[in-house]
Amino acid sequence: MLREEFGLKRYEGNPIIRPADFPGADAVFNCGQTMYKGKTILLVAVVLKGEFCPRMHVAESEDGINFTIRPEPFITRSDKFGYYDHWPIDPRITYMEDEDVYYIMRPANSASGCAAILGRTKDFETYEDVEIIALPSNRVPCLFPAKIDGSYVRLDRPYSLVGPPHNNNQMGHIWISYSPDLIHWGRHRHLIAPWSNWNDVKIGPTPPVKTDAGWLVLIHGVGNSCTGMRYHVGAMLLDLDDPSKVVGKAESYLLCPDAKYEFMGRVPNVVFPCGFIVDPEQDRVRLYYGGADTCIALATGSLSEIIDICRKGL
Ligand code: BMA
């Protein structure tokens, strides 16, 4: 490693899932993540050699390190809505405890732009696409794990391609919106704009996790360079009662591409989070992230330290 680690520390056995772990795979990357019946569940995007369209598979683990990928896909390209969803990736999983349901929000890429699809499962055995919940261009839909003041709440990243490429103000900021039923969304509000050179092209959230200090959200932040975009992981904290208020954010990134498996792959210079898992009794955050759109790696951090970093704006 060339850089000192800050906030998140890589697992020394990384990457924990490689394309070679799945027959015929060219890539196994960016994963939704949650706990189910004591096991760590990752929903990984698998691209098979020679196939354009990824599928999502369930990978499961007793110890959070050694994963078995189920052979059958769990989510495949949806045509339920007459919508050509040609690149099903980046699932974001939210467990809604009151309903005992795992909701999965994901971008739905098409020729007319990227919309957002809501799906659900109770058991990671059967899956149902529920509805398209955002018009193009909208990516990175993430659901809060509880209603707030009687409403479902989501974060997402609508964005415009109008204007010069990589113009800070024209690309992706994070917004918040509310819904009575998960289908109809409104009261859209701008939440936060990029704030530093490591995220000045675009930022996108992960499903928020409740902590005593506020809703913790890891983000991806994209900066530009003369050889292309560079993806980082950052963090912010939202007010528990009114999550439209940002109460803290890490000034620096917590993770940037610095390992071979983050530089070398289908898309170099990428560390990409679609969620994270908190183990409160161990004061630990586990982040299973995509490396270079090719593999899955693990980084861990102290929950209280990451909250502190956000509060102090380090
Ligand atoms: C983003 C998403 C991610 C991907 C990243 C880098 O726009 O598509 O799935 O990891 O680009 O290619």
Side-chain angles (χ1 to χ4, degrees):
M1 236 49 69
L2 296 173
R3 295 172 186 83
E4 195 183 346
E5 292 185 315
F6 173 72
L8 287 168
K9 189 171 170 28
R10 291 170 181 82
Y11 169 61
E12 61 277 8
N14 275 346
I16 57 161
I17 304 181
R18 306 156 197 258
D21 295 329
F22 192 86
D26 185 64
V28 179
F29 69 117
N30 303 356
C31 54
Q33 46 213 277
T34 192
M35 297 301 291
Y36 176 69
K37 294 197 171 168
K39 288 187 180 175
T40 304
I41 296 279
L42 305 182
L43 204 46
V44 299
V46 175
V47 186
L48 295 179
K49 287 174 194 162
E51 277 190 19
F52 176 71
C53 185
R55 334 95 70 87
M56 293 182 215
H57 287 248
V58 172
E60 52 200 333
S61 170
E62 297 282 354
D63 63 6
I65 290 179
N66 298 288
F67 283 85
T68 306
I69 308 176
R70 294 188 197 157
E72 290 305 316
F74 183 64
I75 301 180
T76 52
R77 181 165 70 80
S78 173
D79 53 13
K80 177 167 174 179
F81 313 109
Y83 185 83
Y84 185 65
D85 159 30
H86 68 213
W87 189 245
I89 50 156
D90 294 359
R92 269 101 181 171
I93 304 173
T94 299
Y95 178 56
M96 195 64 71
E97 197 174 348
D98 287 0
E99 302 169 30
D100 192 21
V101 169
Y102 293 81
Y103 288 104
I104 299 165
M105 289 187 169
R106 63 186 169 93
N109 295 276
S110 84
S112 70
C114 185
I117 288 185
L118 171 73
R120 51 179 271 149
T121 182
K122 280 187 90 69
D123 52 13
F124 291 95
E125 298 292 338
T126 55
Y127 167 80
E128 177 199 3
D129 273 326
V130 177
E131 202 31 275
I132 294 181
I133 51 159
L135 288 167
S137 287
N138 189 305
R139 288 179 80 94
V140 206
C142 291
L143 183 64
F144 282 70
K147 288 185 180 175
I148 301 172
D149 281 341
S151 296
Y152 292 100
V153 189
R154 109 177 172 221
L155 303 176
D156 58 27
R157 205 236 355 254
Y159 69 114
S160 158
L161 293 176
V162 179
H166 311 142
N167 175 326
N168 179 10
N169 296 315
Q170 300 289 350
M171 293 290 280
H173 300 193
I174 297 175
W175 284 61
I176 189 166
S177 55
Y178 304 85
S179 169
D181 58 5
L182 285 169
I183 309 295
H184 304 91
W185 292 86
R187 290 199 280 136
H188 300 275
R189 298 285 185 275
H190 182 268
L191 182 74
I192 190 167
W195 62 87
S196 187
N197 67 342
W198 59 268
N199 65 30
D200 62 2
V201 173
K202 51 186 173 177
I203 50 177
T206 53
V209 170
K210 194 173 192 173
T211 75
D212 292 343
W215 296 100
L216 179 63
V217 183
L218 295 190
I219 66 150
H220 70 265
V222 184
N224 206 13
S225 80
C226 58
T227 58
M229 292 195 268
R230 185 173 186 245
Y231 282 70
H232 311 73
V233 176
M236 64 179 180
L237 209 50
L238 308 179
D239 185 80
L240 276 185
D241 299 324
D242 178 1
S244 70
K245 290 186 188 144
V246 178
V247 293
K249 63 179 191 296
E251 184 60 29
S252 172
Y253 51 75
L254 305 184
L255 196 70
C256 76
D258 198 16
K260 193 174 164 193
Y261 51 86
E262 298 159 355
F263 292 135
M264 297 173 67
R266 288 167 64 100
V267 182
N269 281 330
V270 177
V271 292
F272 197 91
C274 286
F276 58 102
I277 294 173
V278 170
D279 305 311
E281 62 293 341
Q282 293 163 58
D283 184 36
R284 185 175 64 177
V285 169
R286 274 184 282 152
L287 167 66
Y288 298 90
Y289 64 98
D293 287 10
T294 300
C295 63
I296 307 269
L298 168 64
T300 58
S302 146
L303 176 63
S304 49
E305 188 188 330
I306 292 174
I307 287 173
D308 215 40
I309 288 171
C310 290
R311 277 176 157 164
K312 293 180 178 156
L314 300 176

